[in-house]
Amino acid sequence: MKRVWNSFLISFAMYSRIPVPRADWEKENMKYMMCFFPAIGAVIGLLLCAWGYLAAWLGFGDLMRAAGCVLLPVIVTGGIHLDGFLDTMDALSSHQPQERKVEILKDSHAGAFAVIMGCAYFTLALGAWTELDMQLYPVLGVVFVLSRALSALALSVFPKANKKGSLALFSDAAQKKVLLVSLAVWIIGCAGLLACMDWRYALIILATAAVVFWYYHHMAMKEFGGTTGDIAGFFLQVMELACACTVMIAQFLLR
């Protein structure tokens, strides 16, 4: 039980800026770490809903409310997944051979394409959240849980581009059977919750997630020979933005 608790603490310490008690970062304590990764998404979803109601109570306009929705996930995670998105865009934009792309992923310097795509990402995200009705915040809050569950699923089944990287370490430390069962519970729970909220948006989000997940696998295998922590961050950011955009479009079509 102590190891499970330590795995929970390590997950939050690694993938968020939420203060948690210290835990021993030992391989044994990392066995169930990714089982708790989606819980960080649940925190983000709850904060988004709280922010929406607070912004409405204070009388903020749509733009300010949307700005909070775009920045909250970055504040909670410390931008760890956004960093992966930017590094991956740099590597993809280089059009270099596979080995060179993996090297670019490790480069701590931000290239021009990372800056350009980062600005484009925030611009599109701000536009999408500005158009979204506040009633859809709980629906999109579930997306942050689902994206992390799918990211952890990819960790357990996708080949690794870097066999010695941190992502490979976590995969080795995790007991795959327990991990897969827990992730199945998270994913089924997300699907069920979305269906209870609105089955139409549930279908839209699940279809979007499936398409982005397929693209993630195709791109990672073709361009990098496997996945890495940075590419996993890329997947999270793309899926969350894609779901926000598809739900926004569906909102207008279903009126």
Side-chain angles (χ1 to χ4, degrees):
M1 193 64 181
K2 184 178 179 181
R3 287 177 181 173
V4 175
W5 174 242
N6 279 325
S7 296
F8 173 84
L9 296 178
I10 292 172
S11 182
F12 272 73
M14 180 71 181
Y15 295 111
S16 79
R17 289 296 178 266
I18 300 171
V20 293
R22 284 192 176 184
D24 295 329
W25 285 63
E26 298 176 356
K27 188 173 182 179
E28 285 298 312
N29 290 335
M30 294 182 180
K31 283 185 175 180
Y32 305 102
M33 186 185 72
M34 296 307 293
C35 297
F36 300 104
F37 186 35
I40 301 171
V43 173
I44 295 173
L46 290 172
L47 289 176
L48 279 174
C49 293
W51 164 252
Y53 286 114
L54 177 62
W57 181 68
L58 292 173
F60 289 166
D62 292 341
L63 186 59
M64 186 61 194
R65 188 176 39 141
C69 293
V70 173
L71 292 177
L72 259 176
V74 180
I75 294 171
V76 172
T77 63
I80 185 172
H81 308 304
L82 184 63
D83 176 71
F85 170 81
L86 298 177
D87 287 342
T88 303
M89 290 309 306
D90 252 348
L92 290 174
S93 302
S94 69
H95 301 290
Q96 296 293 316
Q98 190 177 99
E99 291 184 3
R100 176 57 182 153
K101 286 176 183 169
V102 175
E103 291 177 4
I104 294 174
L105 283 178
K106 301 175 186 177
D107 192 342
S108 59
H109 297 88
F113 285 104
V115 176
I116 293 170
M117 295 309 298
C119 292
Y121 184 96
F122 280 113
T123 300
L124 181 56
L126 183 61
W129 280 96
T130 301
E131 296 293 339
L132 284 162
D133 292 338
M134 203 178 75
Q135 289 79 3
L136 291 173
Y137 281 20
V139 173
L140 286 167
V142 179
V143 170
F144 291 92
V145 182
L146 183 60
S147 66
R148 282 158 178 77
L150 290 174
S151 179
L153 177 64
L155 162 65
S156 65
V157 298
F158 287 6
K160 312 299 181 293
N162 184 0
K163 304 299 181 184
K164 297 181 180 179
S166 61
L167 199 62
L169 171 63
F170 296 150
S171 179
D172 292 338
Q175 292 184 353
K176 283 192 175 182
K177 186 175 181 180
V178 175
L179 176 60
L180 290 174
V181 170
S182 66
L183 293 177
V185 172
W186 279 110
I187 294 170
I188 293 171
C190 288
L193 184 56
L194 286 169
C196 290
M197 292 178 179
D198 193 314
W199 66 269
R200 300 169 301 175
Y201 287 110
L203 291 177
I204 291 166
I205 288 173
L206 292 174
T208 303
V211 171
V212 177
F213 191 75
W214 172 85
Y215 168 73
Y216 171 30
H217 178 270
H218 174 76
M219 180 272 292
M221 297 304 109
K222 179 182 178 182
E223 303 293 343
F224 301 96
T227 191
T228 69
D230 285 327
I231 305 173
F234 171 87
F235 164 71
L236 276 178
Q237 297 293 152
V238 171
M239 177 181 159
E240 290 164 5
L241 179 58
C243 286
C245 291
T246 54
V247 168
M248 176 201 68
I249 294 170
Q251 168 189 276
F252 291 105
L253 296 176
L254 295 174
R255 280 177 178 173

